[in-house]
Amino acid sequence: MFYSLANPRERYDVQRTLRRQNSVYLGTGSVLYSNLGRPMLTIVADTCGRHDTLGGACAQESNTVRYALEKRYMHSCRDNYLRACAHDGRLSKGDIGPNINFFMNVPVTADGGLTFEDGISAPGKYVELRAEMDVIMLISNCPQLNNPCNAYNPTAAQVLVWN
Ligand SMILES: [Zn+2]
């Protein structure tokens, strides 16, 4: 999730981003727009080629519905975002909105449905973003243990930030 550092009420807007590029998939050249219509970031390199923009973050509720009642207390991306908001202090629960699932393969079917498919990412694949404004970035390296897309084995992600 992305927010303007100057005004965290300005944030990544999935609908505007997809409408302006006329595609549900992101890749090199995609511009991520804010809810105020300003470019926030541009994807300048992408060695994976598939990133989900529609599936949202996993949560206690979705894990319970999708997998089993006893999965309710397993850690989720939403938990990570809530924890990051509490730590940051500029964001709160109400600021959690649409996110981008980088490296996640969620094809849109011909009739408009979503399917969660095995990932096409691999070790060493990366996405490079150029910030078009100063941003706050919340990242959850999905701790999902129920979805076979990561072979039930979440692995580390590396984040590099430079000027
Ligand atoms: Zn997740």
Side-chain angles (χ1 to χ4, degrees), residues 87-157:
H87 176 74
D88 179 80
R90 290 168 291 190
L91 302 169
S92 68
K93 184 177 181 179
D95 293 309
I96 296 177
N99 64 293
I100 298 169
N101 291 312
F102 285 110
F103 307 108
M104 190 165 177
N105 186 18
V106 184
V108 178
T109 63
D111 62 352
L114 297 176
T115 62
F116 292 82
E117 300 294 330
D118 286 346
I120 57 174
S121 186
K125 300 237 178 182
Y126 65 90
V127 176
E128 186 175 336
L129 298 156
R130 181 183 63 229
E132 308 296 355
M133 64 174 64
D134 290 336
V135 295
I136 300 168
M137 179 172 62
L138 297 188
I139 299 172
S140 171
N141 185 17
C142 185
Q144 187 57 255
L145 294 173
N146 304 296
N147 187 327
C149 73
N150 60 10
Y152 308 100
N153 181 30
T155 54

Side-chain angles (χ1 to χ4, degrees), residues 4-163:
S4 162
L5 178 66
N7 171 20
R9 303 294 80 75
E10 182 176 10
R11 69 219 24 213
Y12 166 67
D13 183 327
V14 61
Q15 290 88 1
R16 189 181 310 260
T17 297
L18 301 187
R19 193 170 52 244
R20 286 194 178 175
Q21 70 168 11
N22 201 28
S23 172
V24 297
Y25 303 116
L26 302 174
T28 303
S30 292
V31 176
L32 311 181
Y33 285 95
S34 76
N35 57 338
L36 300 183
R38 300 193 312 145
M40 298 187 82
L41 301 110
T42 301
I43 297 176
V44 295
D46 173 17
T47 61
C48 179
R50 180 56 63 91
H51 312 284
D52 169 53
T53 57
L54 303 173
C58 68
Q60 186 179 60
E61 295 81 2
S62 63
N63 285 343
T64 301
V65 169
R66 189 174 295 150
Y67 304 110
L69 189 57
E70 65 267 19
K71 307 295 186 184
R72 176 175 175 79
Y73 300 101
M74 295 181 80
H75 204 71
S76 69
C77 284
R78 184 166 173 81
D79 292 331
N80 286 346
Y81 291 137
L82 288 169
R83 189 175 180 147
C85 287
H87 176 74
D88 179 80
R90 290 168 291 190
L91 302 169
S92 68
K93 184 177 181 179
D95 293 309
I96 296 177
N99 64 293
I100 298 169
N101 291 312
F102 285 110
F103 307 108
M104 190 165 177
N105 186 18
V106 184
V108 178
T109 63
D111 62 352
L114 297 176
T115 62
F116 292 82
E117 300 294 330
D118 286 346
I120 57 174
S121 186
K125 300 237 178 182
Y126 65 90
V127 176
E128 186 175 336
L129 298 156
R130 181 183 63 229
E132 308 296 355
M133 64 174 64
D134 290 336
V135 295
I136 300 168
M137 179 172 62
L138 297 188
I139 299 172
S140 171
N141 185 17
C142 185
Q144 187 57 255
L145 294 173
N146 304 296
N147 187 327
C149 73
N150 60 10
Y152 308 100
N153 181 30
T155 54
Q158 183 179 35
V159 178
L160 303 173
V161 179
W162 68 93
N163 288 328

